[in-house]
Amino acid sequence: VIDEVTNTVMPDPILRAVAENLQKAFPDKKHDYKFAVRSSATGEDTEQMSAAGQMDTYLGVEGISEIMTAIKKCWASQFGFIAVQYKRQNGQIINSPMAVVVQRMIPCDVAGVLFTCDPLTGNPTKMSITANYGLGESVVSGSEEPDALEIERQSSETVIIKNKIIGSKRRRIVLKGAATRAIRVFPMMPLSLLLLCTCVVLLFSVLRLVPFNVLCRGT
């Protein structure tokens, strides 16, 4: 099944839609950018399961031809052994609907994930941040132990750090050309500074730029 999906010729309407939307989003420099191609399936991030890392993600993708190839590989990855076993164990259908997200990649020293409400209870006053050096792939895939922050929102303008856990962060993922590499980390800054920098940047963007009522519903 994987080979059949990967080798299928992309229908012209889909090819045109991807090319046209890339042109709209990046009218001048789309050929200079690198992109991340990742899944957004209906069975991911539900109340019962997260499915993190079950589908393939492709980083550092360049050019429309490579983007289309990565999209097909991403679709095909839900038929891989690990993804199929995970779906069976959790009572999901194998051929579930899957969108694919194409995002411009941003070179970064630190990246992480922010939940603007408690992912288990939906409590909008509880937020959590996980972060590591390098690209965020090491965090979302679970390949490294990141730093973790538990944050409580006391008002629309006031937050406090309730708990923090310093992860080992032994490796970071960096982009080298069109490929990624895992590099051993030798921290040059205090570990607490990583937490502080990530917390300040993410919370500033959330509290100052996103309405509170949106935060209550988003993750």
Side-chain angles (χ1 to χ4, degrees):
V1 175
I2 292 177
D3 290 340
E4 290 180 2
V5 175
T6 303
N7 295 327
T8 296
V9 177
M10 187 71 75
D12 286 340
I14 297 179
L15 183 61
R16 286 196 301 270
V18 173
E20 289 172 1
N21 281 282
L22 281 174
Q23 179 63 32
K24 290 179 182 178
F26 310 101
D28 300 323
K29 297 184 177 181
K30 65 177 180 295
H31 298 294
D32 299 330
Y33 295 146
K34 293 180 173 62
F35 294 88
V37 180
R38 61 179 74 247
S39 67
S40 181
T42 56
E44 294 179 294
D45 294 325
T46 67
E47 293 182 358
Q48 292 77 30
M49 53 187 285
S50 68
Q54 302 302 312
M55 318 304 179
D56 291 342
T57 294
Y58 297 90
L59 305 178
V61 182
E62 298 180 90
I64 186 64
S65 177
E66 292 302 315
I67 288 174
M68 299 310 297
T69 298
I71 289 174
K72 290 192 292 183
K73 288 181 177 180
C74 197
W75 278 334
S77 68
Q78 72 168 317
F79 301 106
F81 177 78
I82 294 177
V84 169
Q85 289 297 101
Y86 189 84
K87 290 180 180 181
R88 285 175 174 168
Q89 291 172 2
N90 290 277
Q92 288 195 333
I93 61 173
I94 303 302
N95 187 16
S96 58
M98 178 196 286
V100 175
V101 178
V102 179
Q103 301 170 298
R104 179 190 168 193
M105 291 196 65
I106 305 297
C108 55
D109 297 318
V110 175
V113 175
L114 166 66
F115 285 94
T116 58
C117 64
D118 190 301
L120 298 178
T121 66
N123 186 341
T125 68
K126 306 290 185 182
M127 298 187 292
S128 61
I129 296 173
T130 51
N132 188 22
Y133 298 109
L135 299 175
E137 185 63 20
S138 65
V139 178
V140 299
S141 68
S143 62
E144 293 299 320
E145 182 187 359
D147 290 344
L149 281 175
E150 180 184 341
I151 300 166
E152 182 177 293
R153 184 190 290 112
Q154 296 185 329
S155 70
S156 61
E157 297 292 334
T158 305
V159 296
I160 61 172
I161 297 176
K162 296 286 290 184
N163 188 31
K164 60 182 178 181
I165 300 174
I166 304 299
S168 59
K169 304 183 300 298
R170 298 183 185 279
R171 297 184 304 170
R172 62 189 175 101
I173 295 178
V174 298
L175 192 62
K176 294 290 185 181
T180 57
R181 290 178 55 194
I183 298 177
R184 185 175 176 82
V185 170
F186 298 95
M188 299 179 64
M189 65 173 73
L191 295 180
S192 59
L193 184 58
L194 170 62
L195 281 166
L196 178 61
C197 291
T198 306
C199 181
V200 168
V201 171
L202 290 176
L203 287 180
F204 180 84
S205 64
V206 170
L207 293 176
R208 298 298 181 184
L209 301 181
V210 182
F212 182 76
N213 62 340
V214 175
L215 287 176
C216 292
R217 296 192 296 269
T219 55

PDB file of all heavy atoms in Angstrom, residues 112-143:
ATOM      1  N   GLY A 112       9.761  24.621  20.856  1.00  0.00           N
ATOM      2  CA  GLY A 112       8.964  23.846  21.793  1.00  0.00           C
ATOM      3  C   GLY A 112       7.500  23.806  21.422  1.00  0.00           C
ATOM      4  O   GLY A 112       7.104  24.245  20.344  1.00  0.00           O
ATOM      5  N   VAL A 113       6.721  23.262  22.338  1.00  0.00           N
ATOM      6  CA  VAL A 113       5.279  23.115  22.161  1.00  0.00           C
ATOM      7  C   VAL A 113       4.578  23.791  23.331  1.00  0.00           C
ATOM      8  O   VAL A 113       4.966  23.599  24.487  1.00  0.00           O
ATOM      9  CB  VAL A 113       4.872  21.626  22.109  1.00  0.00           C
ATOM     10  CG1 VAL A 113       3.351  21.484  22.060  1.00  0.00           C
ATOM     11  CG2 VAL A 113       5.511  20.943  20.907  1.00  0.00           C
ATOM     12  N   LEU A 114       3.563  24.581  23.022  1.00  0.00           N
ATOM     13  CA  LEU A 114       2.768  25.258  24.045  1.00  0.00           C
ATOM     14  C   LEU A 114       1.325  24.788  23.966  1.00  0.00           C
ATOM     15  O   LEU A 114       0.705  24.853  22.906  1.00  0.00           O
ATOM     16  CB  LEU A 114       2.824  26.776  23.843  1.00  0.00           C
ATOM     17  CG  LEU A 114       1.788  27.613  24.607  1.00  0.00           C
ATOM     18  CD1 LEU A 114       2.032  27.534  26.106  1.00  0.00           C
ATOM     19  CD2 LEU A 114       1.814  29.060  24.133  1.00  0.00           C
ATOM     20  N   PHE A 115       0.795  24.280  25.073  1.00  0.00           N
ATOM     21  CA  PHE A 115      -0.634  23.991  25.201  1.00  0.00           C
ATOM     22  C   PHE A 115      -1.258  25.147  25.974  1.00  0.00           C
ATOM     23  O   PHE A 115      -0.885  25.399  27.122  1.00  0.00           O
ATOM     24  CB  PHE A 115      -0.874  22.676  25.948  1.00  0.00           C
ATOM     25  CG  PHE A 115      -0.592  21.449  25.134  1.00  0.00           C
ATOM     26  CD1 PHE A 115       0.652  20.839  25.192  1.00  0.00           C
ATOM     27  CD2 PHE A 115      -1.560  20.908  24.305  1.00  0.00           C
ATOM     28  CE1 PHE A 115       0.920  19.708  24.441  1.00  0.00           C
ATOM     29  CE2 PHE A 115      -1.300  19.779  23.549  1.00  0.00           C
ATOM     30  CZ  PHE A 115      -0.058  19.176  23.615  1.00  0.00           C
ATOM     31  N   THR A 116      -2.215  25.847  25.352  1.00  0.00           N
ATOM     32  CA  THR A 116      -2.819  27.007  26.005  1.00  0.00           C
ATOM     33  C   THR A 116      -3.966  26.632  26.926  1.00  0.00           C
ATOM     34  O   THR A 116      -4.598  27.504  27.517  1.00  0.00           O
ATOM     35  CB  THR A 116      -3.312  28.026  24.960  1.00  0.00           C
ATOM     36  OG1 THR A 116      -4.256  27.392  24.091  1.00  0.00           O
ATOM     37  CG2 THR A 116      -2.146  28.542  24.140  1.00  0.00           C
ATOM     38  N   CYS A 117      -4.268  25.355  27.031  1.00  0.00           N
ATOM     39  CA  CYS A 117      -5.160  24.853  28.073  1.00  0.00           C
ATOM     40  C   CYS A 117      -4.701  23.439  28.407  1.00  0.00           C
ATOM     41  O   CYS A 117      -3.922  22.843  27.663  1.00  0.00           O
ATOM     42  CB  CYS A 117      -6.630  24.875  27.641  1.00  0.00           C
ATOM     43  SG  CYS A 117      -7.031  23.788  26.264  1.00  0.00           S
ATOM     44  N   ASP A 118      -5.143  22.924  29.524  1.00  0.00           N
ATOM     45  CA  ASP A 118      -4.716  21.596  29.954  1.00  0.00           C
ATOM     46  C   ASP A 118      -5.163  20.557  28.927  1.00  0.00           C
ATOM     47  O   ASP A 118      -6.357  20.433  28.647  1.00  0.00           O
ATOM     48  CB  ASP A 118      -5.324  21.275  31.323  1.00  0.00           C
ATOM     49  CG  ASP A 118      -4.727  20.020  31.937  1.00  0.00           C
ATOM     50  OD1 ASP A 118      -4.823  18.954  31.299  1.00  0.00           O
ATOM     51  OD2 ASP A 118      -4.175  20.105  33.046  1.00  0.00           O
ATOM     52  N   PRO A 119      -4.228  19.804  28.326  1.00  0.00           N
ATOM     53  CA  PRO A 119      -4.612  18.854  27.276  1.00  0.00           C
ATOM     54  C   PRO A 119      -5.446  17.686  27.781  1.00  0.00           C
ATOM     55  O   PRO A 119      -6.091  17.005  26.983  1.00  0.00           O
ATOM     56  CB  PRO A 119      -3.258  18.372  26.729  1.00  0.00           C
ATOM     57  CG  PRO A 119      -2.292  18.608  27.834  1.00  0.00           C
ATOM     58  CD  PRO A 119      -2.777  19.823  28.555  1.00  0.00           C
ATOM     59  N   LEU A 120      -5.453  17.453  29.085  1.00  0.00           N
ATOM     60  CA  LEU A 120      -6.229  16.341  29.641  1.00  0.00           C
ATOM     61  C   LEU A 120      -7.602  16.771  30.135  1.00  0.00           C
ATOM     62  O   LEU A 120      -8.590  16.068  29.936  1.00  0.00           O
ATOM     63  CB  LEU A 120      -5.451  15.680  30.790  1.00  0.00           C
ATOM     64  CG  LEU A 120      -4.113  15.048  30.410  1.00  0.00           C
ATOM     65  CD1 LEU A 120      -3.432  14.475  31.647  1.00  0.00           C
ATOM     66  CD2 LEU A 120      -4.298  13.973  29.351  1.00  0.00           C
ATOM     67  N   THR A 121      -7.667  17.945  30.769  1.00  0.00           N
ATOM     68  CA  THR A 121      -8.935  18.381  31.365  1.00  0.00           C
ATOM     69  C   THR A 121      -9.595  19.524  30.608  1.00  0.00           C
ATOM     70  O   THR A 121     -10.772  19.806  30.816  1.00  0.00           O
ATOM     71  CB  THR A 121      -8.708  18.836  32.820  1.00  0.00           C
ATOM     72  OG1 THR A 121      -7.889  20.021  32.824  1.00  0.00           O
ATOM     73  CG2 THR A 121      -8.019  17.745  33.623  1.00  0.00           C
ATOM     74  N   GLY A 122      -8.833  20.220  29.750  1.00  0.00           N
ATOM     75  CA  GLY A 122      -9.378  21.376  29.051  1.00  0.00           C
ATOM     76  C   GLY A 122      -9.409  22.634  29.896  1.00  0.00           C
ATOM     77  O   GLY A 122      -9.946  23.660  29.467  1.00  0.00           O
ATOM     78  N   ASN A 123      -8.838  22.596  31.091  1.00  0.00           N
ATOM     79  CA  ASN A 123      -8.826  23.755  31.987  1.00  0.00           C
ATOM     80  C   ASN A 123      -8.054  24.908  31.335  1.00  0.00           C
ATOM     81  O   ASN A 123      -6.855  24.794  31.091  1.00  0.00           O
ATOM     82  CB  ASN A 123      -8.167  23.364  33.313  1.00  0.00           C
ATOM     83  CG  ASN A 123      -8.251  24.471  34.347  1.00  0.00           C
ATOM     84  OD1 ASN A 123      -8.464  25.639  34.028  1.00  0.00           O
ATOM     85  ND2 ASN A 123      -8.077  24.111  35.609  1.00  0.00           N
ATOM     86  N   PRO A 124      -8.709  26.053  31.062  1.00  0.00           N
ATOM     87  CA  PRO A 124      -8.039  27.147  30.351  1.00  0.00           C
ATOM     88  C   PRO A 124      -7.047  27.929  31.202  1.00  0.00           C
ATOM     89  O   PRO A 124      -6.322  28.770  30.671  1.00  0.00           O
ATOM     90  CB  PRO A 124      -9.206  28.038  29.914  1.00  0.00           C
ATOM     91  CG  PRO A 124     -10.256  27.803  30.944  1.00  0.00           C
ATOM     92  CD  PRO A 124     -10.129  26.359  31.326  1.00  0.00           C
ATOM     93  N   THR A 125      -7.001  27.678  32.504  1.00  0.00           N
ATOM     94  CA  THR A 125      -6.043  28.392  33.355  1.00  0.00           C
ATOM     95  C   THR A 125      -4.718  27.642  33.476  1.00  0.00           C
ATOM     96  O   THR A 125      -3.760  28.169  34.039  1.00  0.00           O
ATOM     97  CB  THR A 125      -6.614  28.617  34.767  1.00  0.00           C
ATOM     98  OG1 THR A 125      -6.741  27.356  35.444  1.00  0.00           O
ATOM     99  CG2 THR A 125      -7.966  29.302  34.699  1.00  0.00           C
ATOM    100  N   LYS A 126      -4.670  26.419  32.967  1.00  0.00           N
ATOM    101  CA  LYS A 126      -3.456  25.612  33.058  1.00  0.00           C
ATOM    102  C   LYS A 126      -2.799  25.520  31.682  1.00  0.00           C
ATOM    103  O   LYS A 126      -3.413  25.067  30.725  1.00  0.00           O
ATOM    104  CB  LYS A 126      -3.775  24.197  33.556  1.00  0.00           C
ATOM    105  CG  LYS A 126      -4.541  24.144  34.868  1.00  0.00           C
ATOM    106  CD  LYS A 126      -3.688  24.583  36.040  1.00  0.00           C
ATOM    107  CE  LYS A 126      -4.434  24.400  37.363  1.00  0.00           C
ATOM    108  NZ  LYS A 126      -3.641  24.863  38.516  1.00  0.00           N
ATOM    109  N   MET A 127      -1.553  25.977  31.600  1.00  0.00           N
ATOM    110  CA  MET A 127      -0.803  25.891  30.355  1.00  0.00           C
ATOM    111  C   MET A 127       0.468  25.087  30.590  1.00  0.00           C
ATOM    112  O   MET A 127       0.958  24.996  31.717  1.00  0.00           O
ATOM    113  CB  MET A 127      -0.449  27.286  29.837  1.00  0.00           C
ATOM    114  CG  MET A 127      -1.653  28.156  29.508  1.00  0.00           C
ATOM    115  SD  MET A 127      -1.179  29.710  28.701  1.00  0.00           S
ATOM    116  CE  MET A 127      -0.334  30.542  30.049  1.00  0.00           C
ATOM    117  N   SER A 128       1.009  24.532  29.516  1.00  0.00           N
ATOM    118  CA  SER A 128       2.250  23.777  29.641  1.00  0.00           C
ATOM    119  C   SER A 128       3.135  24.043  28.431  1.00  0.00           C
ATOM    120  O   SER A 128       2.650  24.220  27.311  1.00  0.00           O
ATOM    121  CB  SER A 128       1.972  22.275  29.773  1.00  0.00           C
ATOM    122  OG  SER A 128       1.294  21.787  28.631  1.00  0.00           O
ATOM    123  N   ILE A 129       4.444  24.079  28.688  1.00  0.00           N
ATOM    124  CA  ILE A 129       5.440  24.297  27.644  1.00  0.00           C
ATOM    125  C   ILE A 129       6.493  23.206  27.752  1.00  0.00           C
ATOM    126  O   ILE A 129       6.961  22.888  28.846  1.00  0.00           O
ATOM    127  CB  ILE A 129       6.127  25.670  27.789  1.00  0.00           C
ATOM    128  CG1 ILE A 129       5.121  26.806  27.609  1.00  0.00           C
ATOM    129  CG2 ILE A 129       7.262  25.819  26.777  1.00  0.00           C
ATOM    130  CD1 ILE A 129       5.710  28.177  27.898  1.00  0.00           C
ATOM    131  N   THR A 130       6.857  22.615  26.625  1.00  0.00           N
ATOM    132  CA  THR A 130       8.016  21.730  26.558  1.00  0.00           C
ATOM    133  C   THR A 130       8.951  22.285  25.494  1.00  0.00           C
ATOM    134  O   THR A 130       8.499  22.732  24.437  1.00  0.00           O
ATOM    135  CB  THR A 130       7.616  20.284  26.210  1.00  0.00           C
ATOM    136  OG1 THR A 130       6.787  20.286  25.033  1.00  0.00           O
ATOM    137  CG2 THR A 130       6.847  19.646  27.351  1.00  0.00           C
ATOM    138  N   ALA A 131      10.259  22.269  25.765  1.00  0.00           N
ATOM    139  CA  ALA A 131      11.202  22.905  24.845  1.00  0.00           C
ATOM    140  C   ALA A 131      12.549  22.199  24.868  1.00  0.00           C
ATOM    141  O   ALA A 131      12.953  21.619  25.878  1.00  0.00           O
ATOM    142  CB  ALA A 131      11.382  24.378  25.209  1.00  0.00           C
ATOM    143  N   ASN A 132      13.231  22.280  23.739  1.00  0.00           N
ATOM    144  CA  ASN A 132      14.570  21.716  23.608  1.00  0.00           C
ATOM    145  C   ASN A 132      15.376  22.609  22.677  1.00  0.00           C
ATOM    146  O   ASN A 132      14.827  23.448  21.957  1.00  0.00           O
ATOM    147  CB  ASN A 132      14.504  20.294  23.041  1.00  0.00           C
ATOM    148  CG  ASN A 132      15.857  19.592  23.067  1.00  0.00           C
ATOM    149  OD1 ASN A 132      16.749  19.954  23.842  1.00  0.00           O
ATOM    150  ND2 ASN A 132      16.026  18.590  22.222  1.00  0.00           N
ATOM    151  N   TYR A 133      16.682  22.416  22.663  1.00  0.00           N
ATOM    152  CA  TYR A 133      17.528  23.106  21.701  1.00  0.00           C
ATOM    153  C   TYR A 133      17.204  22.622  20.286  1.00  0.00           C
ATOM    154  O   TYR A 133      16.744  21.497  20.083  1.00  0.00           O
ATOM    155  CB  TYR A 133      19.002  22.833  21.993  1.00  0.00           C
ATOM    156  CG  TYR A 133      19.477  23.325  23.342  1.00  0.00           C
ATOM    157  CD1 TYR A 133      19.779  22.425  24.362  1.00  0.00           C
ATOM    158  CD2 TYR A 133      19.631  24.683  23.590  1.00  0.00           C
ATOM    159  CE1 TYR A 133      20.227  22.871  25.595  1.00  0.00           C
ATOM    160  CE2 TYR A 133      20.078  25.139  24.820  1.00  0.00           C
ATOM    161  CZ  TYR A 133      20.376  24.229  25.819  1.00  0.00           C
ATOM    162  OH  TYR A 133      20.813  24.669  27.046  1.00  0.00           O
ATOM    163  N   GLY A 134      17.467  23.477  19.299  1.00  0.00           N
ATOM    164  CA  GLY A 134      17.305  23.082  17.908  1.00  0.00           C
ATOM    165  C   GLY A 134      15.865  23.098  17.442  1.00  0.00           C
ATOM    166  O   GLY A 134      15.010  23.779  18.011  1.00  0.00           O
ATOM    167  N   LEU A 135      15.591  22.330  16.386  1.00  0.00           N
ATOM    168  CA  LEU A 135      14.248  22.256  15.826  1.00  0.00           C
ATOM    169  C   LEU A 135      13.291  21.568  16.793  1.00  0.00           C
ATOM    170  O   LEU A 135      13.703  20.754  17.626  1.00  0.00           O
ATOM    171  CB  LEU A 135      14.273  21.491  14.497  1.00  0.00           C
ATOM    172  CG  LEU A 135      15.122  22.092  13.367  1.00  0.00           C
ATOM    173  CD1 LEU A 135      15.126  21.155  12.165  1.00  0.00           C
ATOM    174  CD2 LEU A 135      14.622  23.467  12.975  1.00  0.00           C
ATOM    175  N   GLY A 136      12.006  21.865  16.640  1.00  0.00           N
ATOM    176  CA  GLY A 136      11.006  21.288  17.529  1.00  0.00           C
ATOM    177  C   GLY A 136      10.725  19.819  17.295  1.00  0.00           C
ATOM    178  O   GLY A 136       9.982  19.205  18.058  1.00  0.00           O
ATOM    179  N   GLU A 137      11.322  19.232  16.267  1.00  0.00           N
ATOM    180  CA  GLU A 137      11.054  17.836  15.944  1.00  0.00           C
ATOM    181  C   GLU A 137      11.415  16.904  17.094  1.00  0.00           C
ATOM    182  O   GLU A 137      10.743  15.900  17.331  1.00  0.00           O
ATOM    183  CB  GLU A 137      11.828  17.440  14.679  1.00  0.00           C
ATOM    184  CG  GLU A 137      11.539  16.043  14.167  1.00  0.00           C
ATOM    185  CD  GLU A 137      10.095  15.847  13.743  1.00  0.00           C
ATOM    186  OE1 GLU A 137       9.407  16.852  13.475  1.00  0.00           O
ATOM    187  OE2 GLU A 137       9.650  14.685  13.690  1.00  0.00           O
ATOM    188  N   SER A 138      12.484  17.227  17.836  1.00  0.00           N
ATOM    189  CA  SER A 138      12.876  16.359  18.950  1.00  0.00           C
ATOM    190  C   SER A 138      11.840  16.377  20.065  1.00  0.00           C
ATOM    191  O   SER A 138      11.723  15.420  20.833  1.00  0.00           O
ATOM    192  CB  SER A 138      14.237  16.788  19.506  1.00  0.00           C
ATOM    193  OG  SER A 138      14.166  18.088  20.081  1.00  0.00           O
ATOM    194  N   VAL A 139      11.066  17.466  20.149  1.00  0.00           N
ATOM    195  CA  VAL A 139      10.022  17.571  21.169  1.00  0.00           C
ATOM    196  C   VAL A 139       8.766  16.830  20.725  1.00  0.00           C
ATOM    197  O   VAL A 139       8.218  16.006  21.460  1.00  0.00           O
ATOM    198  CB  VAL A 139       9.691  19.049  21.470  1.00  0.00           C
ATOM    199  CG1 VAL A 139       8.566  19.148  22.493  1.00  0.00           C
ATOM    200  CG2 VAL A 139      10.928  19.779  21.980  1.00  0.00           C
ATOM    201  N   VAL A 140       8.300  17.107  19.508  1.00  0.00           N
ATOM    202  CA  VAL A 140       7.040  16.511  19.060  1.00  0.00           C
ATOM    203  C   VAL A 140       7.170  15.015  18.794  1.00  0.00           C
ATOM    204  O   VAL A 140       6.187  14.270  18.898  1.00  0.00           O
ATOM    205  CB  VAL A 140       6.496  17.233  17.804  1.00  0.00           C
ATOM    206  CG1 VAL A 140       6.210  18.688  18.108  1.00  0.00           C
ATOM    207  CG2 VAL A 140       7.473  17.128  16.643  1.00  0.00           C
ATOM    208  N   SER A 141       8.365  14.551  18.452  1.00  0.00           N
ATOM    209  CA  SER A 141       8.551  13.118  18.207  1.00  0.00           C
ATOM    210  C   SER A 141       8.821  12.343  19.484  1.00  0.00           C
ATOM    211  O   SER A 141       8.729  11.113  19.503  1.00  0.00           O
ATOM    212  CB  SER A 141       9.713  12.900  17.229  1.00  0.00           C
ATOM    213  OG  SER A 141      10.951  13.260  17.826  1.00  0.00           O
ATOM    214  N   GLY A 142       9.180  13.063  20.561  1.00  0.00           N
ATOM    215  CA  GLY A 142       9.488  12.393  21.817  1.00  0.00           C
ATOM    216  C   GLY A 142      10.851  11.729  21.834  1.00  0.00           C
ATOM    217  O   GLY A 142      11.128  10.888  22.697  1.00  0.00           O
ATOM    218  N   SER A 143      11.737  12.114  20.908  1.00  0.00           N
ATOM    219  CA  SER A 143      13.045  11.461  20.830  1.00  0.00           C
ATOM    220  C   SER A 143      14.014  11.938  21.903  1.00  0.00           C
ATOM    221  O   SER A 143      15.007  11.269  22.183  1.00  0.00           O
ATOM    222  CB  SER A 143      13.665  11.688  19.442  1.00  0.00           C
ATOM    223  OG  SER A 143      13.871  13.073  19.199  1.00  0.00           O
TER     224      SER A 143
END
